[in-house]
mmCIF file of all heavy atoms in Angstrom:
data_model
loop_
_atom_site.group_PDB
_atom_site.id
_atom_site.type_symbol
_atom_site.label_atom_id
_atom_site.label_comp_id
_atom_site.label_asym_id
_atom_site.label_seq_id
_atom_site.Cartn_x
_atom_site.Cartn_y
_atom_site.Cartn_z
ATOM 1 N N ALA A 388 0.029 7.304 20.996
ATOM 2 C CA ALA A 388 0.202 6.253 22.002
ATOM 3 C C ALA A 388 -0.646 5.049 21.609
ATOM 4 O O ALA A 388 -1.785 5.201 21.179
ATOM 5 C CB ALA A 388 -0.206 6.766 23.377
ATOM 6 N N PHE A 389 -0.087 3.856 21.732
ATOM 7 C CA PHE A 389 -0.792 2.626 21.393
ATOM 8 C C PHE A 389 -0.038 1.446 21.988
ATOM 9 O O PHE A 389 1.133 1.605 22.332
ATOM 10 C CB PHE A 389 -0.926 2.483 19.855
ATOM 11 C CG PHE A 389 0.396 2.598 19.124
ATOM 12 C CD1 PHE A 389 1.184 1.474 18.883
ATOM 13 C CD2 PHE A 389 0.867 3.832 18.695
ATOM 14 C CE1 PHE A 389 2.396 1.586 18.226
ATOM 15 C CE2 PHE A 389 2.088 3.945 18.041
ATOM 16 C CZ PHE A 389 2.847 2.822 17.804
ATOM 17 N N PRO A 390 -0.621 0.254 22.110
ATOM 18 C CA PRO A 390 -2.006 -0.078 21.793
ATOM 19 C C PRO A 390 -2.970 0.514 22.828
ATOM 20 O O PRO A 390 -2.587 0.715 23.979
ATOM 21 C CB PRO A 390 -2.021 -1.612 21.825
ATOM 22 C CG PRO A 390 -0.893 -1.984 22.721
ATOM 23 C CD PRO A 390 0.144 -0.913 22.592
ATOM 24 N N PRO A 391 -4.228 0.769 22.397
ATOM 25 C CA PRO A 391 -5.156 1.497 23.273
ATOM 26 C C PRO A 391 -5.452 0.785 24.588
ATOM 27 O O PRO A 391 -5.665 1.446 25.603
ATOM 28 C CB PRO A 391 -6.422 1.636 22.420
ATOM 29 C CG PRO A 391 -6.244 0.766 21.232
ATOM 30 C CD PRO A 391 -4.788 0.467 21.082
ATOM 31 N N GLN A 392 -5.421 -0.586 24.587
ATOM 32 C CA GLN A 392 -5.738 -1.305 25.830
ATOM 33 C C GLN A 392 -4.707 -0.962 26.917
ATOM 34 O O GLN A 392 -5.047 -0.723 28.065
ATOM 35 C CB GLN A 392 -5.699 -2.832 25.618
ATOM 36 C CG GLN A 392 -6.601 -3.356 24.531
ATOM 37 C CD GLN A 392 -5.922 -3.372 23.172
ATOM 38 O OE1 GLN A 392 -5.074 -2.553 22.850
ATOM 39 N NE2 GLN A 392 -6.336 -4.319 22.334
ATOM 40 N N VAL A 393 -3.415 -0.957 26.515
ATOM 41 C CA VAL A 393 -2.345 -0.719 27.497
ATOM 42 C C VAL A 393 -2.287 0.776 27.833
ATOM 43 O O VAL A 393 -2.129 1.162 28.989
ATOM 44 C CB VAL A 393 -0.987 -1.235 26.955
ATOM 45 C CG1 VAL A 393 0.078 -1.124 28.037
ATOM 46 C CG2 VAL A 393 -1.109 -2.679 26.482
ATOM 47 N N GLU A 394 -2.467 1.599 26.810
ATOM 48 C CA GLU A 394 -2.483 3.052 27.044
ATOM 49 C C GLU A 394 -3.590 3.395 28.051
ATOM 50 O O GLU A 394 -3.361 4.109 29.027
ATOM 51 C CB GLU A 394 -2.741 3.799 25.725
ATOM 52 C CG GLU A 394 -2.817 5.300 25.913
ATOM 53 C CD GLU A 394 -3.507 6.019 24.746
ATOM 54 O OE1 GLU A 394 -4.000 5.359 23.804
ATOM 55 O OE2 GLU A 394 -3.561 7.259 24.800
ATOM 56 N N GLY A 395 -4.795 2.847 27.795
ATOM 57 C CA GLY A 395 -5.956 3.149 28.652
ATOM 58 C C GLY A 395 -5.699 2.687 30.079
ATOM 59 O O GLY A 395 -5.960 3.433 31.036
ATOM 60 N N PHE A 396 -5.143 1.467 30.217
ATOM 61 C CA PHE A 396 -4.898 0.939 31.559
ATOM 62 C C PHE A 396 -3.895 1.821 32.312
ATOM 63 O O PHE A 396 -4.138 2.250 33.435
ATOM 64 C CB PHE A 396 -4.386 -0.503 31.487
ATOM 65 C CG PHE A 396 -4.074 -1.088 32.838
ATOM 66 C CD1 PHE A 396 -5.087 -1.409 33.727
ATOM 67 C CD2 PHE A 396 -2.756 -1.294 33.232
ATOM 68 C CE1 PHE A 396 -4.789 -1.926 34.991
ATOM 69 C CE2 PHE A 396 -2.456 -1.797 34.492
ATOM 70 C CZ PHE A 396 -3.478 -2.122 35.371
ATOM 71 N N LEU A 397 -2.761 2.121 31.663
ATOM 72 C CA LEU A 397 -1.709 2.864 32.368
ATOM 73 C C LEU A 397 -2.121 4.306 32.674
ATOM 74 O O LEU A 397 -1.811 4.832 33.730
ATOM 75 C CB LEU A 397 -0.405 2.829 31.562
ATOM 76 C CG LEU A 397 0.261 1.451 31.531
ATOM 77 C CD1 LEU A 397 1.437 1.441 30.571
ATOM 78 C CD2 LEU A 397 0.727 1.037 32.916
ATOM 79 N N LYS A 398 -2.864 4.914 31.749
ATOM 80 C CA LYS A 398 -3.304 6.292 32.016
ATOM 81 C C LYS A 398 -4.358 6.315 33.124
ATOM 82 O O LYS A 398 -4.359 7.213 33.959
ATOM 83 C CB LYS A 398 -3.873 6.932 30.751
ATOM 84 C CG LYS A 398 -2.790 7.415 29.808
ATOM 85 C CD LYS A 398 -3.401 8.150 28.635
ATOM 86 C CE LYS A 398 -2.365 8.823 27.787
ATOM 87 N NZ LYS A 398 -2.892 9.307 26.506
ATOM 88 N N SER A 399 -5.256 5.307 33.116
ATOM 89 C CA SER A 399 -6.294 5.282 34.165
ATOM 90 C C SER A 399 -5.641 5.063 35.518
ATOM 91 O O SER A 399 -5.972 5.733 36.496
ATOM 92 C CB SER A 399 -7.302 4.149 33.959
ATOM 93 O OG SER A 399 -7.672 4.070 32.639
ATOM 94 N N VAL A 400 -4.680 4.129 35.568
ATOM 95 C CA VAL A 400 -4.015 3.833 36.828
ATOM 96 C C VAL A 400 -3.335 5.095 37.367
ATOM 97 O O VAL A 400 -3.412 5.418 38.548
ATOM 98 C CB VAL A 400 -2.995 2.688 36.615
ATOM 99 C CG1 VAL A 400 -1.948 2.666 37.704
ATOM 100 C CG2 VAL A 400 -3.714 1.363 36.560
ATOM 101 N N ARG A 401 -2.689 5.830 36.455
ATOM 102 C CA ARG A 401 -1.966 7.035 36.871
ATOM 103 C C ARG A 401 -2.910 8.076 37.488
ATOM 104 O O ARG A 401 -2.539 8.816 38.384
ATOM 105 C CB ARG A 401 -1.251 7.634 35.657
ATOM 106 C CG ARG A 401 -0.399 8.839 35.995
ATOM 107 C CD ARG A 401 0.267 9.427 34.793
ATOM 108 N NE ARG A 401 -0.703 9.910 33.808
ATOM 109 C CZ ARG A 401 -0.395 10.622 32.730
ATOM 110 N NH1 ARG A 401 0.861 10.891 32.472
ATOM 111 N NH2 ARG A 401 -1.312 11.028 31.886
ATOM 112 N N SER A 402 -4.146 8.113 36.967
ATOM 113 C CA SER A 402 -5.057 9.164 37.438
ATOM 114 C C SER A 402 -5.776 8.773 38.737
ATOM 115 O O SER A 402 -6.460 9.595 39.329
ATOM 116 C CB SER A 402 -6.071 9.492 36.345
ATOM 117 O OG SER A 402 -6.886 8.365 36.137
ATOM 118 N N LEU A 403 -5.613 7.521 39.184
ATOM 119 C CA LEU A 403 -6.296 7.095 40.420
ATOM 120 C C LEU A 403 -5.532 7.578 41.654
ATOM 121 O O LEU A 403 -4.321 7.814 41.577
ATOM 122 C CB LEU A 403 -6.349 5.558 40.461
ATOM 123 C CG LEU A 403 -7.256 4.870 39.450
ATOM 124 C CD1 LEU A 403 -7.004 3.360 39.467
ATOM 125 C CD2 LEU A 403 -8.715 5.166 39.751
ATOM 126 N N PRO A 404 -6.228 7.680 42.806
ATOM 127 C CA PRO A 404 -5.477 7.968 44.047
ATOM 128 C C PRO A 404 -4.437 6.872 44.271
ATOM 129 O O PRO A 404 -4.680 5.701 43.938
ATOM 130 C CB PRO A 404 -6.561 7.912 45.135
ATOM 131 C CG PRO A 404 -7.866 7.994 44.431
ATOM 132 C CD PRO A 404 -7.658 7.502 43.026
ATOM 133 N N ARG A 405 -3.282 7.235 44.816
ATOM 134 C CA ARG A 405 -2.197 6.263 45.000
ATOM 135 C C ARG A 405 -2.631 5.067 45.855
ATOM 136 O O ARG A 405 -2.157 3.950 45.653
ATOM 137 C CB ARG A 405 -0.983 6.932 45.644
ATOM 138 C CG ARG A 405 -0.341 7.979 44.747
ATOM 139 C CD ARG A 405 -0.018 7.375 43.407
ATOM 140 N NE ARG A 405 0.848 8.214 42.599
ATOM 141 C CZ ARG A 405 0.846 8.222 41.278
ATOM 142 N NH1 ARG A 405 -0.023 7.485 40.609
ATOM 143 N NH2 ARG A 405 1.685 8.969 40.618
ATOM 144 N N ALA A 406 -3.528 5.331 46.828
ATOM 145 C CA ALA A 406 -3.976 4.239 47.701
ATOM 146 C C ALA A 406 -4.692 3.148 46.899
ATOM 147 O O ALA A 406 -4.802 2.006 47.331
ATOM 148 C CB ALA A 406 -4.900 4.782 48.782
ATOM 149 N N VAL A 407 -5.173 3.507 45.724
ATOM 150 C CA VAL A 407 -5.839 2.526 44.854
ATOM 151 C C VAL A 407 -4.859 2.038 43.780
ATOM 152 O O VAL A 407 -4.760 0.851 43.486
ATOM 153 C CB VAL A 407 -7.084 3.162 44.172
ATOM 154 C CG1 VAL A 407 -7.777 2.157 43.273
ATOM 155 C CG2 VAL A 407 -8.033 3.732 45.209
ATOM 156 N N SER A 408 -4.085 2.974 43.198
ATOM 157 C CA SER A 408 -3.258 2.600 42.040
ATOM 158 C C SER A 408 -2.122 1.648 42.412
ATOM 159 O O SER A 408 -1.854 0.693 41.684
ATOM 160 C CB SER A 408 -2.697 3.843 41.347
ATOM 161 O OG SER A 408 -1.720 4.477 42.142
ATOM 162 N N PHE A 409 -1.473 1.869 43.573
ATOM 163 C CA PHE A 409 -0.339 0.994 43.913
ATOM 164 C C PHE A 409 -0.788 -0.458 44.107
ATOM 165 O O PHE A 409 -0.202 -1.367 43.514
ATOM 166 C CB PHE A 409 0.410 1.526 45.150
ATOM 167 C CG PHE A 409 1.258 2.749 44.863
ATOM 168 C CD1 PHE A 409 1.433 3.729 45.823
ATOM 169 C CD2 PHE A 409 1.896 2.910 43.638
ATOM 170 C CE1 PHE A 409 2.207 4.853 45.567
ATOM 171 C CE2 PHE A 409 2.675 4.036 43.367
ATOM 172 C CZ PHE A 409 2.833 5.011 44.340
#
Side-chain angles (χ1 to χ4, degrees):
F389 53 90
Q392 304 89 329
V393 186
E394 178 199 4
F396 178 71
L397 290 172
K398 281 185 171 168
S399 316
V400 160
R401 184 181 62 171
S402 66
L403 291 170
R405 294 306 192 209
V407 180
S408 70
F409 286 147

